[in-house]
Amino acid sequence: MRLSLLMTALLMNLVSLSAQSSNRIDAEGGDIVFTPIIHASVQVEHAGKVIQVDPWSAGDLSRAKPADLILVTDDPGHHLDPQAIEQLRKRGAPVVLTAAAHARFPDGSVLANGERGVFADVPVEAIPAYDMTPGQ
């Protein structure tokens, strides 16, 4: 499972900023299930793994599953919420985040744009959210 493909599929399926029912995409190894929580906060399940992306306690986390992996995509509070991370994080589960987020939440691993890593047996690739090409 490549995170860049996973995130593309995620963005195509998330049209609401509030919690809604789960969406499924057929995939090798089983369906990928996306459950939006609030804003950028979403639960992704595939092949027995639970990934929480930008968990935010402003959403209803009561039905969210404990995370094998947590991804933090930015450093504002609606992306980086230490309380939500601790609530959803399985013991020892990795938290992968940006350098700016790491300054506020040091119990994680930084992955810069263009870098790759494997966390909780899940390959993760950091890609920029915006085209930062000069003149664009």
Side-chain angles (χ1 to χ4, degrees):
M1 171 172 67
R2 290 197 43 144
L3 184 61
S4 57
L5 295 175
L6 183 67
M7 292 308 293
T8 300
L10 168 71
L11 293 173
M12 290 172 43
N13 279 284
L14 298 179
V15 295
S16 171
L17 295 179
S18 61
Q20 61 181 342
S21 62
S22 298
N23 293 300
R24 293 181 176 273
I25 296 175
D26 293 334
E28 186 176 322
D31 289 352
I32 301 172
V33 180
F34 300 98
T35 306
I37 298 171
I38 188 171
H39 189 55
S41 184
V42 64
Q43 176 176 283
V44 182
E45 299 171 79
H46 180 256
K49 298 280 185 186
V50 175
I51 303 167
Q52 295 291 348
V53 180
D54 292 338
W56 188 21
S57 54
D60 179 7
L61 301 179
S62 65
R63 291 181 284 167
K65 296 180 181 178
D68 297 293
L69 172 62
I70 295 178
L71 303 175
V72 177
T73 65
D74 206 350
D75 66 321
H78 58 278
H79 293 277
L80 174 61
D81 180 343
Q83 177 184 349
I85 291 171
E86 292 306 322
Q87 180 179 344
L88 296 177
R89 185 181 194 187
K90 284 183 181 176
R91 182 183 202 98
V95 176
V96 180
L97 34 66
T98 66
H102 190 259
R104 291 184 43 223
F105 188 86
D107 188 20
S109 300
V110 173
L111 202 61
N113 288 339
E115 292 183 338
R116 297 176 180 176
V118 177
F119 305 90
D121 297 323
V122 176
V124 178
E125 179 178 359
I127 58 173
Y130 305 98
D131 182 359
M132 302 302 284
T133 306
Q136 296 295 321

